[in-house]
Amino acid sequence: MTRSARHHNAGKGTGKNDSSESALIVAAHGRHYVVERADGTHLHAFPRGKKSDAAVGDHVRVELASVDQGVITAIDPRKNLLHRSDQFKSKLLAANIDQVIIVLATEPSFSEDLLGRALVSAEALEIRPLVILNKTDLTARLDDARRRLKLYEDLGYETLELSVHGRPDEALAALKPRTAGVSSIMIGQSGMGKSSLLNLLIPGVEAQTREISAKLDSGKHTTTFTRLYHLPEEWAVVDGRPGYLIDSPGFQEFGLHHLSEGMLERAFPEFRPRLTECRFYNCHHINEPGCGVLQAIDDGAISTRRHQLYTQLLHESRQQKPW
């Protein structure tokens, strides 16, 4: 049985008039998708209709339109859907995720705003985050990076220090148990070393990327589409569950306009114990009297940096959204 067949609800449709088959979306670029069939082969696929609401990691039903093209007719129920959004549009990142890997580096300096937003997004969906600090062999800014990350370590977020170029064997040994048997998405700014991590974990990854890029007709723009890779079977399959690594394009912004106020306040783990201490049941934790969160800030138990992020996200969530 192929690795794909194990993970798909394999095979043809069972209804009398159902000519569709199960497939896994392994790449997405606009309304263009590449799906992997139960036998491991790939098809270029399009959604039926104008709306494009499928994501990499989705299990879908596909009907053949030609030898190498298909039409996505349905999306199976999801465990979750990770996306980012601004005031004008929402962008799907990946579906059915177990872990969000946030890749940072000592150089160039990483965006703490993007880190905080990625953590909030993971918390809102109850997805486990893993923070990676790469390029620890570049020591000039290492102490500064560690100082900035201490806040998040103190909140209980796992931080892994790696030097993919300097100590690849150590990095691989640390990553294997954290990625085996789960579906992870890697996110981060450009220049943090995501490509190096991919090459370390998946031998021959560049050839795979070229093949999918050709299927998507995206030419040289291989960094502009989200892609799912199978991690090597010899170590990444756990109890029959394959390990997937989803690579999303590097981005500088991580808008969370789609999160409601209630979702936001619970996505900050240090806020949760304080929410019952507020005097008013509809407290916004901005400037209300008797606010448990504001009291915790005064007591030094909650960081002002984290509260500033919360107030910015709350402001964004109140913007009118056309989508």
Side-chain angles (χ1 to χ4, degrees):
M1 186 181 285
T2 68
R3 62 191 177 188
S4 306
R6 273 200 304 269
H7 204 64
H8 295 167
N9 304 320
K12 302 284 182 182
T14 53
K16 288 181 180 176
N17 300 316
D18 189 357
S19 60
S20 66
E21 59 183 277
S22 290
L24 172 68
I25 295 182
V26 295
H29 181 70
R31 294 182 75 254
H32 297 259
Y33 298 93
V34 175
V35 300
E36 184 176 277
R37 306 164 78 185
D39 63 2
T41 59
H42 293 135
L43 282 178
H44 188 184
F46 299 91
R48 176 168 283 169
K50 292 182 179 177
K51 199 169 181 196
S52 175
D53 54 2
V56 169
D58 266 327
H59 294 275
V60 295
R61 304 295 300 181
V62 176
E63 287 181 2
L64 280 180
S66 65
V67 176
D68 61 352
Q69 288 204 351
V71 178
I72 297 169
T73 59
I75 302 171
D76 289 353
R78 298 169 169 134
K79 177 165 66 175
N80 52 47
L81 177 64
L82 185 70
H83 58 285
R84 58 193 179 101
S85 58
D86 59 25
Q87 191 176 345
F88 306 103
K89 62 185 182 298
S90 179
K91 181 168 179 57
L92 309 184
L93 292 176
N96 302 313
I97 299 298
D98 301 306
Q99 178 172 247
V100 175
I101 299 176
I102 305 156
V103 184
L104 312 174
T106 54
E107 298 178 28
S109 183
F110 62 84
S111 163
E112 198 170 332
D113 179 68
L114 189 139
L115 167 62
R117 288 164 178 269
L119 290 172
V120 166
S121 182
E123 287 280 355
L125 293 171
E126 299 182 353
I127 301 173
R128 179 178 75 222
L130 171 64
V131 180
I132 289 180
L133 178 63
N134 189 25
K135 305 188 186 180
T136 55
D137 52 312
L138 303 177
T139 56
R141 298 185 192 169
L142 180 57
D143 286 344
D144 183 56
R146 285 172 171 162
R147 178 187 57 76
R148 295 171 70 201
L149 286 178
K150 187 176 186 307
L151 166 61
Y152 305 94
E153 291 175 309
D154 289 347
L155 290 171
Y157 293 116
E158 183 181 11
T159 302
L160 192 60
E161 292 193 1
L162 301 177
S163 173
V164 173
H165 279 305
R167 295 186 297 279
D169 292 344
E170 283 180 31
L172 188 57
L175 288 166
K176 280 182 176 180
R178 290 170 171 86
T179 54
V182 296
S183 179
S184 304
I185 183 171
M186 276 201 313
I187 60 176
Q189 301 157 263
S190 301
M192 297 289 121
K194 286 198 306 157
S195 297
S196 300
L197 269 170
L198 263 181
N199 284 307
L200 180 70
L201 284 165
I202 306 164
V205 70
E206 289 175 1
Q208 290 184 50
T209 304
R210 281 195 299 274
E211 178 215 343
I212 297 299
S213 181
K215 274 271 193 301
L216 284 174
D217 300 325
S218 57
K220 296 174 182 174
H221 305 295
T222 55
T223 59
T224 62
F225 64 86
T226 302
R227 169 79 166 95
L228 179 148
Y229 298 93
H230 293 269
L231 292 168
E233 283 192 19
E234 57 266 24
W235 59 263
V237 176
V238 178
D239 297 329
R241 295 191 317 273
Y244 295 147
L245 190 62
I246 297 172
D247 182 33
S248 62
F251 46 78
Q252 309 298 322
E253 301 291 333
F254 200 124
L256 297 173
H257 285 62
H258 56 282
L259 295 184
S260 68
E261 183 170 340
M263 293 170 77
L264 279 174
E265 66 179 11
R266 290 190 296 274
F268 286 76
E270 67 271 46
F271 285 18
R272 288 177 207 144
R274 318 284 178 170
L275 298 178
T276 55
E277 299 172 6
C278 295
R279 184 187 305 171
F280 302 108
Y281 77 92
N282 59 347
C283 184
H284 303 298
H285 324 300
I286 301 296
N287 52 18
E288 295 83 355
C291 172
V293 171
L294 295 178
Q295 184 60 53
I297 294 170
D298 290 343
D299 295 342
I302 289 180
S303 159
T304 54
R305 282 149 63 196
R306 293 278 287 169
H307 187 253
Q308 285 165 2
L309 175 61
Y310 166 78
T311 55
Q312 176 60 33
L313 293 175
L314 185 62
H315 170 72
E316 292 173 11
S317 78
R318 290 171 172 171
Q319 306 299 310
Q320 272 198 311
K321 308 167 191 66
W323 38 266

